[in-house]
């Protein structure tokens, strides 16, 4: 089988593989772990060996803490023995955007929420160029985008109203990465007596949870973190409620502050 190693896609730091069970268990080096998005498969070999991935499936069945089930099966079976293809066969859009604004002959992977309704971006334009050639490009798609835009507009108004109500008789508190503290202070006009927890370690995250629990009903937290979805899951497990006890602070920032417009809901509406 042929595939592109995640390491070659741009995930160059060993610490980024904390969720990869096969790496943290020591079965594979982080430079070996393959990405399953684009594969070249020897079909004759697989047909002649129908049980070729059974051992990988058994491993997953016994290690349910794996986060990437299909990918981990393939890595268990082939991680030590596969054709390492060049990165151009599986270009992750988020990484590509960091190094260039132009497209090239390649296989592009619009991983996660990397596609947006932004015609200034060449990667978006490339995707829509081919989308326009499919049967799904029709009148219904356009009306779905209109409905999605209307929903986003109403959600923004509802969020503003909710914040106004929630902030009644409450103080603000902030959870911010060190590099962003001064800019967030200016944008949100933070007073000297308002609490700021610096997000620079696991201990800081634990401190924030304690502060959130102690301040329920008295403070409202604005979280400025790199992966709000993952942190949100942890907070919910600790009995805290999004939009009641805290909010994703990044969702309140516009392109004026360097935050890309979140139009992924419009893309889903297509």
């Amino acid at each position: 089988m042929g595939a592109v190693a995640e390491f070659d896609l741009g995930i160059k730091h060993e610490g980024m593989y904390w969720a990869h069970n096969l790496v943290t268990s020591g079965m594979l080096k982080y430079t070996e772990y393959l990405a399953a998005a684009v594969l070249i498969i020897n079909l004759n070999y697989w047909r002649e060996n129908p049980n070729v991935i059974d051992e990988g499936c058994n491993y997953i069945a016994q290690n349910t803490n794996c986060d990437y089930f299909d990918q981990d099966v393939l890595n268990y079976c082939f991680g030590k023995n596969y054709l390492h293809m060049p990165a151009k066969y599986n270009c992750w859009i988020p990484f590509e955007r960091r190094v260039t604004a132009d497209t090239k002959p390649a296989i592009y992977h619009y991983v996660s929420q990397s596609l947006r309704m932004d015609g200034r971006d060449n990667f978006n334009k490339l995707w829509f160029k081919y989308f326009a050639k499919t049967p799904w490009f029709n009148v219904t798609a356009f009306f779905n985008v209109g409905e999605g835009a209307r929903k986003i507009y109403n959600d923004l108004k509802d969020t503003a109203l909710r914040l106004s109500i929630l902030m009644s008789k409450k103080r603000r508190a902030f959870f911010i990465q060190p590099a962003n503290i001064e800019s967030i202070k200016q944008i949100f006009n933070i007073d000297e007596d308002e609490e700021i927890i610096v997000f620079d370690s696991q201990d800081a995250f634990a401190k924030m949870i304690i502060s959130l629990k102690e301040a329920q009903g008295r403070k409202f937290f604005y979280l400025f973190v790199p992966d709000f979805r993952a942190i949100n899951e942890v907070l919910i497990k600790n009995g805290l409620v999004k939009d009641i006890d805290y909010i994703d602070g990044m969702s309140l920032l516009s392109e004026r502050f360097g935050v890309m417009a979140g139009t992924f809901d419009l893309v889903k509406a297509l």
Side-chain angles (χ1 to χ4, degrees), residues 10-267:
I11 307 178
K12 299 292 187 181
H13 192 274
E14 185 173 6
M16 293 294 291
Y17 292 84
W18 62 270
H20 293 5
N21 179 275
L22 294 174
V23 174
T24 56
S25 65
M27 296 182 65
L28 288 178
K29 296 178 181 178
Y30 71 97
T31 53
E32 297 172 328
Y33 191 90
L34 66 87
V38 181
L39 305 172
I40 295 178
I41 296 174
N42 183 340
L43 294 179
N44 288 332
Y45 177 83
W46 281 46
R47 287 168 181 147
E48 293 167 3
N49 299 274
N51 301 323
V52 66
I53 62 171
D54 282 0
E55 290 187 15
C57 292
N58 290 334
Y59 175 81
I60 295 297
Q62 296 167 14
N63 295 271
T64 55
N65 59 331
C66 289
D67 291 315
Y68 303 95
F69 294 107
D70 59 332
Q71 195 161 269
D72 282 346
V73 168
L74 293 172
N75 271 283
Y76 183 89
C77 296
F78 304 106
K80 293 285 187 182
N81 183 29
Y82 69 93
L83 173 67
H84 286 243
M85 299 193 298
K88 69 178 182 179
Y89 290 101
N90 183 8
C91 292
W92 285 10
I93 296 297
F95 293 152
E96 288 296 304
R97 281 196 177 110
R98 294 177 189 174
V99 296
T100 182
D102 298 320
T103 59
K104 61 189 178 185
I107 296 177
Y108 285 110
H109 182 184
Y110 290 78
V111 64
S112 187
Q113 299 185 13
S114 54
L115 181 64
R116 302 185 178 96
M117 301 289 288
D118 183 355
R120 298 167 299 179
D121 180 279
N122 286 328
F123 298 103
N124 293 331
K125 287 194 288 187
L126 179 68
W127 189 93
F128 279 98
K129 171 186 174 182
Y130 287 98
F131 173 63
K133 299 178 180 181
T134 72
W136 292 277
F137 186 74
N138 52 34
V139 173
T140 301
F142 281 110
F143 280 109
N144 284 345
V145 171
E147 289 300 315
R150 185 177 295 110
K151 182 180 183 301
I152 290 174
Y153 173 72
N154 287 324
D155 285 348
L156 286 172
K157 294 180 73 173
D158 289 342
T159 298
L161 176 60
R162 233 178 11 252
L163 273 175
S164 179
I165 295 171
L166 289 170
M167 285 304 300
S168 177
K169 299 180 181 178
K170 288 184 181 178
R171 292 293 289 165
R172 299 183 303 174
F174 300 84
F175 189 54
I176 313 172
Q177 289 181 294
N180 299 330
I181 289 178
E182 292 306 315
S183 59
I184 296 299
K185 275 185 176 182
Q186 294 180 19
I187 294 169
F188 285 81
N189 194 26
I190 300 176
D191 291 336
E192 291 298 325
D193 62 340
E194 291 184 298
E195 182 179 9
I196 294 178
I197 298 175
V198 181
F199 180 26
D200 58 358
S201 66
Q202 193 66 30
D203 289 340
F205 183 52
K207 179 182 177 182
M208 183 196 68
I209 294 176
I210 294 172
S211 294
L212 270 163
K213 288 183 174 181
E214 291 177 346
Q216 279 184 296
R218 295 184 296 103
K219 288 183 180 180
F220 187 73
F221 276 73
Y222 295 77
L223 311 186
F224 297 89
V225 293
D227 190 352
F228 177 79
R229 285 183 298 174
I231 286 179
N232 184 46
E233 291 178 6
V234 175
L235 295 180
I236 290 173
K237 290 178 181 178
N238 278 271
L240 297 158
V241 183
K242 179 179 175 290
D243 295 337
I244 297 294
D245 299 314
Y246 60 92
I247 194 172
D248 177 10
M250 299 298 291
S251 69
L252 303 176
L253 300 178
S254 68
E255 290 185 347
R256 183 159 63 97
F257 304 110
V259 177
M260 184 68 71
T263 55
F264 186 68
D265 285 340
L266 293 182
V267 174

